[in-house]
Amino acid sequence: MKTVVIGNSGQLSAELKILLDDNACFLGPEDTDITEEKVLHETLQALSPDVIINAAAYTAVDKAEEEPELCTALNAVAVKNLATYCRLSGCFLVHVSTDYVFSGHKGSPYKTNDALEPKGVYGKTKAQGEKALLDILPDDSCLIRTAWVYSSHGHNFVKTMLRLMKEKPSLSVVDDQIGSPTWAKGLAELCVTAANRKHKGVYHFTDEGVASWYDFAVAIQELALHKKLISSAVAILPVPTSAYPTPAKRPSYSVLDKQETRVEFPELAFRHWREQLSDMMDELAGGEQ
């Protein structure tokens, strides 16, 4: 089975490269333009994939408020273009979306069929991409929503915290936004499994457990000290979202209900986010050595 991955430089792409064999082709912006239907379709027709995994997205949540057109092109138009190609060619599509399609007001874990109520440009464009996918390709696609993704590759909250812990005497981190951290390695395993099985449907995937960004930061420091990624502790102060205003509004509670995913993908390991974080930081420690 020939697999094409859209995206070649992000966290998820890096983990997919480790998992996929030589039959996988990774396409970056230098290879095609996913926002231009004709260009994209010509590229894909030449490759003739059986499955496409879309790991490309505009993910700069705050910057999206300043660049709504670019964000829409990458998160909505590109998904429409991919879904259209797959419908015409008979190709299966695995697409990754986000917890930010929800408002955060529900107060309990979001189910796959809960109403989408995104707050900012990023969430709205991801919701538009979801709608395009499900309208065009409902029977030949797997839509996976995830949250708070990090890895040893690329830019993410974990690596930012580690850098700031070396540079600052103290950090202020919001404690009233609740979600579930996700190591990109587990997300990549789900994407590959869904692709191999051509398993259609809408699924939620994060690591187990819940946390605030403050909880996450405290755990990062504890593990970093233990693994000698940092040499000394800094004060980490919990603050409300109101004390740290950002251009984009974020959901205050965006935990995703994963029961359907556990049932449909029993071979996957569903581990607590702190265990996953520890293993990822072992990767970082090994890399530094």
Side-chain angles (χ1 to χ4, degrees):
M1 185 174 72
K2 187 171 184 180
T3 303
V4 164
V5 177
I6 307 297
N8 64 356
S9 61
Q11 300 180 90
L12 178 55
S13 298
E15 299 292 347
L16 287 168
K17 285 178 182 177
I18 297 170
L19 292 176
L20 290 168
D21 58 27
D22 294 338
N23 287 326
C25 175
F26 288 76
L27 300 179
E30 68 277 11
D31 302 306
T32 193
D33 185 350
I34 59 176
T35 69
E36 292 291 338
E37 184 176 13
K38 185 173 184 295
V39 174
L40 175 63
H41 286 203
E42 288 176 353
T43 303
L44 293 173
Q45 283 165 2
L47 293 169
S48 190
D50 300 297
V51 176
I52 296 171
I53 300 174
N54 183 27
Y58 186 113
T59 58
V61 177
D62 289 322
K63 197 173 181 183
E65 301 297 316
E66 303 170 10
E67 298 181 329
E69 291 183 1
L70 178 58
C71 191
T72 300
L74 292 171
N75 290 349
V77 176
V79 181
K80 176 178 177 290
N81 294 341
L82 286 165
T84 301
Y85 169 80
C86 288
R87 185 183 65 186
L88 294 171
S89 67
C91 186
F92 190 85
L93 178 59
V94 178
H95 174 63
V96 179
S97 192
T98 173
D99 58 327
Y100 277 39
V101 298
F102 298 116
S103 68
H105 299 317
K106 183 183 177 185
S108 60
Y110 280 94
K111 297 183 180 297
T112 56
N113 60 353
D114 279 335
L116 306 189
E117 297 179 287
K119 288 186 169 184
V121 169
Y122 168 67
K124 289 176 182 176
T125 59
K126 291 295 285 185
Q128 289 166 12
E130 287 191 13
K131 184 177 186 303
L133 175 67
L134 296 176
D135 283 349
I136 297 168
L137 201 69
D139 296 323
D140 286 297
S141 64
C142 183
L143 169 61
I144 301 167
R145 296 192 189 111
T146 190
W148 297 25
V149 177
Y150 67 89
S151 81
S152 59
H153 314 279
H155 302 286
N156 53 69
F157 182 78
V158 177
K159 293 172 79 173
T160 297
M161 287 296 103
L162 291 172
R163 175 176 57 81
L164 292 176
M165 286 167 187
K166 296 174 183 177
E167 297 174 355
K168 306 286 186 181
S170 66
L171 301 175
S172 296
V173 184
V174 296
D175 68 347
D176 56 358
Q177 293 175 26
I178 308 298
S180 300
T182 307
W183 186 12
K185 180 179 181 180
L187 177 61
E189 289 169 351
L190 174 57
C191 288
V192 171
T193 302
N196 287 340
R197 282 213 239 138
K198 295 188 176 179
H199 198 111
K200 72 175 183 178
V202 180
Y203 298 97
H204 287 168
F205 181 82
T206 63
D207 291 328
E208 299 286 23
V210 301
S212 68
W213 290 109
Y214 168 76
D215 297 327
F216 197 13
V218 169
I220 291 165
Q221 176 161 262
E222 288 177 357
L223 289 166
L225 287 167
H226 177 70
K227 298 173 190 297
K228 296 182 170 49
L229 285 165
I230 57 175
S231 57
S232 60
V234 302
I236 303 176
L237 310 174
V239 297
T241 298
S242 58
Y244 190 72
T246 56
K249 292 182 179 179
R250 288 160 166 79
S252 58
Y253 184 96
S254 60
V255 177
L256 300 175
D257 185 313
K258 300 182 288 292
Q259 185 56 34
E260 292 173 343
T261 315
R262 293 190 197 99
V263 170
E264 294 295 329
F265 297 90
E267 67 271 46
L268 296 180
F270 290 84
R271 303 173 70 215
H272 193 274
W273 65 263
R274 190 175 172 113
E275 294 178 58
Q276 296 285 76
L277 176 63
S278 180
D279 284 356
M280 187 284 270
M281 292 176 73
D282 284 339
E283 281 189 7
L284 285 179
E288 291 195 0
Q289 289 170 6

